[in-house]
Amino acid sequence: MTAKTREYKEISRSQADEAIELLPDERNILLWKGLIKGPQESPYEGHIFELGIKVPDSYPLAPPAVHFVTKIFHPNVHFKTGEICLDILKTSWSPAWTLQAVCRAVLALLSAPAPDSPLNCDAGNLLRAQDMRGYSSMARMYAVEHAKACS
């Protein structure tokens, strides 16, 4: 059994994390959709964001390519491409990580943005200037406009 098939079976058995839903493409086990709920006490709370996940043939030795499909205002997410600046998706990848764990790390990034390595300079500048009100209102506005509201 390949690592990809094993992970699919594990996720199918236990979708224990209510904040994360992982759905494989019916025709290609290497393509997944991740649905994550915005963390509580963040400007993303109350909204669901879609991630596109592409698992390489060399997984779990190489990280998946993960990007936001839903437009989001966040310093570590490129506004146009949805690219995520997250060390575990680049230099700090470990075969011990799972797709579920990657989604948890993205949720943690939503709760604690890193403005010193921005892909979205506008969001990074607001946070570096300690303008939490401006950042939160922009992030919330984009969430309302682009993300699906939780029911």
Side-chain angles (χ1 to χ4, degrees):
M1 183 180 327
T2 68
K4 294 170 226 28
T5 307
R6 191 170 38 253
E7 184 153 354
Y8 172 73
K9 287 185 176 187
E10 179 183 321
I11 289 169
S12 298
R13 257 195 324 269
S14 67
Q15 281 275 359
D17 195 333
E18 292 182 11
I20 300 167
E21 185 176 2
L22 284 163
L23 305 164
D25 184 289
E26 292 179 7
R27 288 167 268 147
N28 187 345
I29 191 85
L30 300 177
L31 300 176
W32 291 69
K33 179 192 307 187
L35 300 174
I36 59 173
K37 290 183 182 176
Q40 291 182 342
E41 299 180 24
S42 79
Y44 312 104
E45 182 176 8
H47 293 87
I48 298 172
F49 299 85
E50 182 180 337
L51 300 174
I53 303 169
K54 184 175 182 192
V55 178
D57 287 330
S58 55
Y59 179 85
L61 299 177
V66 181
H67 70 280
F68 272 89
V69 173
T70 307
K71 291 235 180 271
I72 187 169
F73 186 80
H74 188 281
N76 308 111
V77 179
H78 191 282
F79 183 73
K80 290 185 180 181
T81 66
E83 176 189 354
I84 303 168
C85 182
L86 187 60
D87 60 348
I88 67 158
L89 296 175
K90 311 272 191 264
T91 56
S92 298
W93 176 255
S94 164
W97 287 90
T98 63
L99 296 181
Q100 189 97 10
V102 167
C103 289
R104 279 199 282 304
V106 171
L107 283 171
L109 188 66
L110 292 183
S111 292
D116 293 332
S117 60
L119 288 175
N120 180 328
C121 291
D122 293 334
N125 288 339
L126 285 170
L127 287 175
R128 282 196 302 272
Q130 298 180 356
D131 185 357
M132 290 307 294
R133 187 174 180 187
Y135 167 74
S136 291
S137 79
M138 286 294 292
R140 209 172 354 273
M141 181 186 78
Y142 277 88
V144 167
E145 189 172 320
H146 297 285
K148 181 180 174 192
C150 293
S151 42

